[in-house]
Amino acid sequence: MTTSETLFARAQELIPGGVNSPVRAFRSVGGVPVFMQSARGAWLTDVDGKQYVDFINSWGPMILGHAPAVVLDALTKALPDSLSFGAPTRREVELAELLIELVPSLEKVRLVNSGTEATMSAIRVARGYTGRAKILKFEGCYHGHGDSFLIAAGSGALTLGAPDSPGVTEGVARDTLTVPYNDLAAVEAAIAANPDQLAAIIIEPVVGNMGLVEPAPGFLAGLRALCTKHSIVLIFDEVMTGFRLAPGGAQERYGVVPDMTTLGKIIGGGLPVGAYGGRADIMNQVAPAGKVYQAGTLSGNPLATAAGMAQLRYLHEHPEVYQQLETIGTRLADGTRQIAKELGLHYTVNQVGSMFSLFFTPEPVNNLEDAKKANLPAFGRYFHAMLNRGIYLAPSQFEALFISTAITDELVEKYLTACRESLIEAHH
Ligand SMILES: *Cc1c(COP(=O)(O)O)cnc(C)c1O
């Protein structure tokens, strides 16, 4: 037995499914999850000493690779001062300043402890601001595990959602509408069927949570126009895309400014941080400025702000990082596409900057329905073939890969060699 197998057996006795977040359990690819020991740069080392090149990077936060000196130094410096005050600190002001400077839609911002907290809070504020109850989300977009977001599509585009998880009440589900991603006509129809009832439309401006899916040309601008016309708060959930696809996130990259934005992942530099913000008139609804309640014992935690600040400052001062990530992302995606083609598979590869997905289907993937056409057993075999070759991918077809600046040209070649061998292995 490997140490991972031993630990997983113990974990399953103690922790539901043996993990503290479901995707880590490898359920959709089978097998035993790898327990990690340490990481540096592009490399992960597991509890048995085996090494892997990391293409998940903690699901996005580690954009500079693991243990970057700039973040470790900031943490080391902050450590002796305090682990938590529960009182305001200078770094919270500086971090807010930096976020507002970089993200186009932010005029005011509130720090929280996770992406889930950010999205839950953002829709509460949008509801408080508009006095309306319903929200609209897109099938396959993930906005954390708040009740309002764990809603599956109803039977038609105009029907209300159904709970996607036991424990989410039908009452909550009634207030969440779902429509297919990239379908502006469905959004218009949903608005028309619920006149003056929608508080917010929340969207991943580039989707990472059904695999990587790009917004169709004009889709985000179309949403912007509809929200303005109907006084609906447009929320971009940039927990994944913020500071990844551009310094100002997808909203900068696509030139569409939402009313509110949620952030997480990268802004904590690997520590638990989230943030939500937007137009000042909306954010002034938040307590104690306004009446919409939201709070957090550890919000603005001094270590989290030290790590986040260091990483964001680095990105701000080194904009060439984004060009580097773009180039590596394109090489990986083009290389993967080429290999699949040479093998006669013609699989779809979607890529935006440093996020990409290989879908095990030859058809274009523009929404969840498309993504679901993928050959999941073949993906599972591919995943394990890559893992055996020391390439650590997301253990699900419906997740994007995240590239860090630690991926060198040499590691791109290593990935592509493994990709070719693994695709062959997965299909014979
Ligand atoms: C990860 C993610 C969240 C949830 O963030 P947590 O920190 O895991 O709670 C929300 N929205 C998007 C788009 C995400 O990718």
mmCIF file of all heavy atoms in Angstrom, residues 113-117 119 142-145 204 209 237-240 262 265 273, ligand 1:
data_model
loop_
_atom_site.group_PDB
_atom_site.id
_atom_site.type_symbol
_atom_site.label_atom_id
_atom_site.label_comp_id
_atom_site.label_asym_id
_atom_site.label_seq_id
_atom_site.Cartn_x
_atom_site.Cartn_y
_atom_site.Cartn_z
ATOM 1 N N ASN A 113 -13.729 35.422 3.495
ATOM 2 C CA ASN A 113 -12.753 34.339 3.682
ATOM 3 C C ASN A 113 -12.749 33.261 2.599
ATOM 4 O O ASN A 113 -11.936 32.355 2.636
ATOM 5 C CB ASN A 113 -12.991 33.665 5.038
ATOM 6 C CG ASN A 113 -12.877 34.670 6.155
ATOM 7 O OD1 ASN A 113 -11.798 35.183 6.435
ATOM 8 N ND2 ASN A 113 -13.997 34.988 6.772
ATOM 9 N N SER A 114 -13.683 33.355 1.659
ATOM 10 C CA SER A 114 -13.720 32.363 0.580
ATOM 11 C C SER A 114 -14.543 32.915 -0.573
ATOM 12 O O SER A 114 -15.286 33.897 -0.412
ATOM 13 C CB SER A 114 -14.350 31.047 1.065
ATOM 14 O OG SER A 114 -15.730 31.236 1.310
ATOM 15 N N GLY A 115 -14.426 32.241 -1.702
ATOM 16 C CA GLY A 115 -15.232 32.616 -2.852
ATOM 17 C C GLY A 115 -16.716 32.409 -2.576
ATOM 18 O O GLY A 115 -17.559 33.201 -3.000
ATOM 19 N N THR A 116 -17.032 31.334 -1.869
ATOM 20 C CA THR A 116 -18.431 31.058 -1.518
ATOM 21 C C THR A 116 -19.039 32.201 -0.728
ATOM 22 O O THR A 116 -20.147 32.652 -1.006
ATOM 23 C CB THR A 116 -18.514 29.748 -0.695
ATOM 24 O OG1 THR A 116 -18.145 28.658 -1.543
ATOM 25 C CG2 THR A 116 -19.910 29.511 -0.160
ATOM 26 N N GLU A 117 -18.300 32.691 0.262
ATOM 27 C CA GLU A 117 -18.800 33.822 1.049
ATOM 28 C C GLU A 117 -19.002 35.051 0.176
ATOM 29 O O GLU A 117 -19.954 35.814 0.368
ATOM 30 C CB GLU A 117 -17.767 34.181 2.128
ATOM 31 C CG GLU A 117 -18.024 33.589 3.475
ATOM 32 C CD GLU A 117 -17.100 34.228 4.497
ATOM 33 O OE1 GLU A 117 -17.319 35.385 4.875
ATOM 34 O OE2 GLU A 117 -16.117 33.557 4.889
ATOM 35 N N THR A 119 -19.754 35.243 -3.086
ATOM 36 C CA THR A 119 -20.934 35.171 -3.961
ATOM 37 C C THR A 119 -22.225 35.209 -3.154
ATOM 38 O O THR A 119 -23.188 35.868 -3.550
ATOM 39 C CB THR A 119 -20.903 33.884 -4.813
ATOM 40 O OG1 THR A 119 -20.739 32.767 -3.959
ATOM 41 C CG2 THR A 119 -19.765 33.923 -5.829
ATOM 42 N N TYR A 142 -20.356 27.542 -11.628
ATOM 43 C CA TYR A 142 -20.261 27.263 -10.192
ATOM 44 C C TYR A 142 -19.960 28.556 -9.461
ATOM 45 O O TYR A 142 -19.062 29.301 -9.859
ATOM 46 C CB TYR A 142 -19.143 26.247 -9.926
ATOM 47 C CG TYR A 142 -18.942 25.916 -8.458
ATOM 48 C CD1 TYR A 142 -19.906 25.206 -7.752
ATOM 49 C CD2 TYR A 142 -17.789 26.327 -7.782
ATOM 50 C CE1 TYR A 142 -19.727 24.903 -6.406
ATOM 51 C CE2 TYR A 142 -17.601 26.024 -6.441
ATOM 52 C CZ TYR A 142 -18.575 25.310 -5.756
ATOM 53 O OH TYR A 142 -18.386 25.013 -4.425
ATOM 54 N N HIS A 143 -20.736 28.807 -8.418
ATOM 55 C CA HIS A 143 -20.511 30.027 -7.646
ATOM 56 C C HIS A 143 -20.330 29.713 -6.164
ATOM 57 O O HIS A 143 -20.809 30.447 -5.297
ATOM 58 C CB HIS A 143 -21.685 30.992 -7.851
ATOM 59 C CG HIS A 143 -21.930 31.335 -9.287
ATOM 60 N ND1 HIS A 143 -21.025 32.073 -10.036
ATOM 61 C CD2 HIS A 143 -22.934 31.017 -10.132
ATOM 62 C CE1 HIS A 143 -21.487 32.208 -11.273
ATOM 63 N NE2 HIS A 143 -22.639 31.573 -11.362
ATOM 64 N N GLY A 144 -19.661 28.606 -5.872
ATOM 65 C CA GLY A 144 -19.518 28.197 -4.487
ATOM 66 C C GLY A 144 -20.746 27.413 -4.060
ATOM 67 O O GLY A 144 -21.651 27.153 -4.859
ATOM 68 N N HIS A 145 -20.791 27.022 -2.764
ATOM 69 C CA HIS A 145 -21.830 26.082 -2.346
ATOM 70 C C HIS A 145 -22.978 26.733 -1.593
ATOM 71 O O HIS A 145 -23.715 26.076 -0.848
ATOM 72 C CB HIS A 145 -21.204 24.936 -1.545
ATOM 73 C CG HIS A 145 -20.596 25.372 -0.245
ATOM 74 N ND1 HIS A 145 -21.338 25.516 0.905
ATOM 75 C CD2 HIS A 145 -19.329 25.728 0.070
ATOM 76 C CE1 HIS A 145 -20.530 25.929 1.879
ATOM 77 N NE2 HIS A 145 -19.322 26.061 1.395
ATOM 78 N N GLU A 204 -19.983 33.410 -14.475
ATOM 79 C CA GLU A 204 -18.540 33.322 -14.666
ATOM 80 C C GLU A 204 -18.290 33.902 -16.065
ATOM 81 O O GLU A 204 -18.703 33.291 -17.054
ATOM 82 C CB GLU A 204 -18.077 31.857 -14.657
ATOM 83 C CG GLU A 204 -18.102 31.169 -13.310
ATOM 84 C CD GLU A 204 -17.596 29.735 -13.422
ATOM 85 O OE1 GLU A 204 -16.374 29.528 -13.521
ATOM 86 O OE2 GLU A 204 -18.422 28.814 -13.430
ATOM 87 N N ASN A 209 -15.751 26.154 -14.619
ATOM 88 C CA ASN A 209 -16.343 25.074 -13.823
ATOM 89 C C ASN A 209 -17.207 24.081 -14.604
ATOM 90 O O ASN A 209 -17.903 23.272 -14.012
ATOM 91 C CB ASN A 209 -17.121 25.679 -12.651
ATOM 92 C CG ASN A 209 -16.178 26.193 -11.561
ATOM 93 O OD1 ASN A 209 -15.433 25.432 -10.971
ATOM 94 N ND2 ASN A 209 -16.180 27.496 -11.332
ATOM 95 N N ASP A 237 -18.705 36.748 -11.483
ATOM 96 C CA ASP A 237 -17.990 35.929 -10.509
ATOM 97 C C ASP A 237 -16.596 35.660 -11.084
ATOM 98 O O ASP A 237 -16.417 34.786 -11.924
ATOM 99 C CB ASP A 237 -18.764 34.635 -10.243
ATOM 100 C CG ASP A 237 -18.055 33.749 -9.227
ATOM 101 O OD1 ASP A 237 -16.945 34.120 -8.781
ATOM 102 O OD2 ASP A 237 -18.601 32.684 -8.892
ATOM 103 N N GLU A 238 -15.646 36.450 -10.610
ATOM 104 C CA GLU A 238 -14.265 36.344 -11.107
ATOM 105 C C GLU A 238 -13.360 35.675 -10.069
ATOM 106 O O GLU A 238 -12.175 35.985 -9.976
ATOM 107 C CB GLU A 238 -13.733 37.735 -11.491
ATOM 108 C CG GLU A 238 -14.539 38.406 -12.604
ATOM 109 C CD GLU A 238 -13.667 38.915 -13.742
ATOM 110 O OE1 GLU A 238 -12.681 38.239 -14.098
ATOM 111 O OE2 GLU A 238 -13.980 40.002 -14.261
ATOM 112 N N VAL A 239 -13.942 34.767 -9.295
ATOM 113 C CA VAL A 239 -13.138 34.055 -8.290
ATOM 114 C C VAL A 239 -11.988 33.304 -8.969
ATOM 115 O O VAL A 239 -10.873 33.255 -8.454
ATOM 116 C CB VAL A 239 -14.035 33.117 -7.447
ATOM 117 C CG1 VAL A 239 -13.190 32.194 -6.570
ATOM 118 C CG2 VAL A 239 -14.981 33.937 -6.569
ATOM 119 N N MET A 240 -12.263 32.736 -10.157
ATOM 120 C CA MET A 240 -11.196 32.059 -10.906
ATOM 121 C C MET A 240 -10.442 33.010 -11.836
ATOM 122 O O MET A 240 -9.234 32.943 -11.962
ATOM 123 C CB MET A 240 -11.792 30.953 -11.787
ATOM 124 C CG MET A 240 -11.804 29.598 -11.155
ATOM 125 S SD MET A 240 -12.469 28.403 -12.332
ATOM 126 C CE MET A 240 -12.434 26.939 -11.304
ATOM 127 N N THR A 262 -17.120 39.362 -7.786
ATOM 128 C CA THR A 262 -16.642 38.539 -6.672
ATOM 129 C C THR A 262 -15.261 38.002 -7.014
ATOM 130 O O THR A 262 -14.971 37.671 -8.159
ATOM 131 C CB THR A 262 -17.605 37.374 -6.377
ATOM 132 O OG1 THR A 262 -17.803 36.616 -7.575
ATOM 133 C CG2 THR A 262 -18.946 37.880 -5.888
ATOM 134 N N LYS A 265 -9.513 32.982 -4.569
ATOM 135 C CA LYS A 265 -8.366 32.263 -5.130
ATOM 136 C C LYS A 265 -7.091 33.126 -5.197
ATOM 137 O O LYS A 265 -6.426 33.276 -4.189
ATOM 138 C CB LYS A 265 -8.771 31.610 -6.460
ATOM 139 C CG LYS A 265 -9.927 30.606 -6.207
ATOM 140 C CD LYS A 265 -10.239 29.642 -7.317
ATOM 141 C CE LYS A 265 -11.191 28.559 -6.781
ATOM 142 N NZ LYS A 265 -12.493 28.477 -7.419
ATOM 143 N N VAL A 273 -8.992 33.690 1.253
ATOM 144 C CA VAL A 273 -9.518 35.053 1.118
ATOM 145 C C VAL A 273 -10.542 35.087 0.002
ATOM 146 O O VAL A 273 -10.395 34.394 -1.007
ATOM 147 C CB VAL A 273 -8.411 36.084 0.762
ATOM 148 C CG1 VAL A 273 -8.992 37.506 0.764
ATOM 149 C CG2 VAL A 273 -7.252 36.026 1.726
HETATM 150 C C1 LIG B 1 -13.829 28.380 -6.617
HETATM 151 C C2 LIG B 1 -14.983 29.198 -7.040
HETATM 152 C C3 LIG B 1 -15.923 29.696 -6.126
HETATM 153 C C4 LIG B 1 -15.923 29.284 -4.685
HETATM 154 O O1 LIG B 1 -14.788 29.690 -4.011
HETATM 155 P P1 LIG B 1 -14.369 28.914 -2.654
HETATM 156 O O2 LIG B 1 -13.210 29.701 -2.156
HETATM 157 O O3 LIG B 1 -14.067 27.523 -3.059
HETATM 158 O O4 LIG B 1 -15.546 28.994 -1.746
HETATM 159 C C5 LIG B 1 -16.884 30.546 -6.581
HETATM 160 N N1 LIG B 1 -16.950 30.910 -7.868
HETATM 161 C C6 LIG B 1 -16.076 30.449 -8.781
HETATM 162 C C7 LIG B 1 -16.179 30.913 -10.187
HETATM 163 C C8 LIG B 1 -15.080 29.567 -8.396
HETATM 164 O O5 LIG B 1 -14.256 29.081 -9.312
#
